[in-house]
Amino acid sequence: MDTERNPNTTAEEEALIEHEFQDLLNGYINSNHRKKVEIIERAYHFAKKAHGGIRRRSGEPYILHPIAVAKIASREIGLGSTSICAALLHDVVEDTDYTVEDISRHFGPKIAELVSGLTKISGGIFGDKASLQAENFRKLLLTMSEDIRVVLIKMADRLHNMRTLGSMAPNKQYKIAGETLYIYAPLAYRLGLFNIKTELEDLSFKYEHPQAYQEIADQLRASEERRQAVYSDFSAPILERLNGMNLKYEAKARVKSVYSIWRKMETKKIPFKEVYDLYAVRIIFDCPDPSAEKTVAWNIYAAITDLYKLHPERTRDWINTPKGNGYQALHLTVMGPDGNWIEVQIRSRRMDEIAEKGFAAHWKYKVGEGEEETELHAWLATIKDILDDPTPDAVDFLDTVKLNLFAAEIVVFTPKGELITLPQKATVIDVAFTLHSELGSHCIAGKVNHKLVPLSYRLNSGDQVEILTSKSQTPKPEWEQFMASAKARTRLRRALRAEVAPDIEKGKEILARFLERAQVEATNEVITKMMAFYKIPTRDDLYMRLGTGSLSLEGYILKDSPTTSPSLLKKIFRIGTSKKATAETTPAPPKPKINPKEVYKLHITGEGQNFVFAPCCRPVPGDDVMGFINDDGDLEVHSLSCPRAQVLKAGYGPRIVATQWESVQKSMPATIVVEGVDRHGVLHELTGIISNQLNIDIRALNISTHAEVFECRLDVLVHNTGDIAALCAKLKKIDGVQSAVRH
């Protein structure tokens, strides 16, 4: 928590605090929860006294933060008095002298349990060290499985922190935004909190790519009038038809979020003006009888398809088969009056509230143990299954869980007609391991719709899948390459570890003896660098190869000269720590210190550069970039859109540095992909413009044609993103060229 102590609050601030609390209280009183106002007022006064004199980094009294979190939990997630009290008290135990026992004594065990759960996962999901990341994330997920409200309140806490992120230092903005985009937004989606997921994505994008965010937001505003006109033309006949059906309903256009528009532009390499599906039409109808919702939805569907041409492959029935996060709706896509496809979402009022507020709304509507509750329990059971996997690799653990958080879904059936929900791109082996680890371990093939298929066969929604097994079959590491389910991957890894467990234990002993003889301490850094030297992805793989004898370390110790052993290891594995430093050791010159709290200026001159480019991406001056202090103490520069950068921001916050291009006197490599209609002389024009008009050096050129269409990949040297923009703009003016984009 970034705070400072200032005991004096002005009369104006006191009035603001009281106004915000009354606003929270009024919203709660107007909700359909039982009115437990007295305990909420007590929690407010308790928290206000506990946080007295403490201010946030922005300068405002700290108590405004828990009030804001409680307001989000109440109004935007739909939680009741217990959660509101826990939200008001969520930082008291961590930041003041009060204990969980004090909370229990004043407010009862249930509120105390929620506050305790929130305290365990406070300060963000991740710790400063990689080895702690997975453990802290496990705490979050374990707490979720005990009481989902802990995570819902944590989501409210993160949303308010993102809304007030502007007062934080730039490096912390990168860390928090990256962590939010990597974990919290997918988690919000998986919990059905669609509005919160969208806002978290947009806010993260705003801080990571401020210029791109502003440009898209401006273009959305500029196109609003035209969009409204198209919507009016499209919706008028639909509204007339619905009015004739005597329905009570609400119709509106839902505009795509800035982040989702940017993602589409980036994925498809298209400009804003070519993103045609900027909005979807949502129809929300009132239906007091839940059993009649399906009939009303399909009647509306029929009315719309009588008016407009239906896209045959883009109808989604999530009423009969809800998404894993409980989402229910009927989606169809029809041709609009302007010649573009428009998506229409049909929901009942109940479905809409569940879509916006997630599982909290399920509790409002449930009668006994309903279908929605079953969906939640099924997902939490999957999370518990992943938690049982004792993998030591933090980033690998996060990626495994993320598979389960943010996956589009398909539904398949067993031969007995049981329904299984799986991520898109799931295969036969996913089904086998999802059903049972033993079934997966002995799986040899599958039958999909009664046709024999291999384990790697990719499934479609509605497939019926039968698993074929053999007692002689054993699990194979290569199966993981065509798995899409986190649960299946976890179970496969566990099965593989059971097979090689004796070799792993033997390898651990071999490595321990080797390092002891070499007088090198077995730290995480040492083992990580050995893995990097041999290009081995996990520790277990390193141990297994040592245990089976496929890897030997003996040649790296000079048995006759023990005093040189540490330095030899240091040279080969780039290891910097040993138990005994010799008198002859010459210390390396100290590297310049990097202050993560300050913006680091990037420069390349004739004398060298003060950073290194990340091997995973190729940023050029003008790109949105960030710095990461690597194990060697160098500043490694990543593009903010680099997938590796997402992992680093989520997992290594204290080593993230805000950066700024300053002076770069060197050309950088970039790849441009040009596509168009093939004709005689087009290549000559391309190279002429690049070399002669723009004076840009070409390092490689690869052109191929198929069915009168060409694709040309150009590796060029540029000074900045301005060079790339000018080059693409020039190339697009060549007759026949359809697109020119940076790869």
Side-chain angles (χ1 to χ4, degrees), residues 174 205-213 215 262 266 602 617-627 637-642 645 649 659-661 721 742:
Y174 284 146
F205 177 55
K206 179 180 178 180
Y207 285 101
E208 290 196 336
H209 301 274
Q211 187 176 348
Y213 177 91
E215 286 173 0
W262 177 77
E266 287 289 299
L602 306 172
C617 56
R618 295 195 301 177
V620 301
D623 280 335
D624 291 332
V625 293
M626 68 163 212
V637 172
H638 290 259
S639 166
L640 278 176
S641 55
C642 164
K649 282 179 290 183
T659 55
Q660 182 179 318
W661 297 104
T721 52
R742 182 180 173 190

Side-chain angles (χ1 to χ4, degrees), residues 212 269 490 653:
K269 304 292 183 184
T490 301

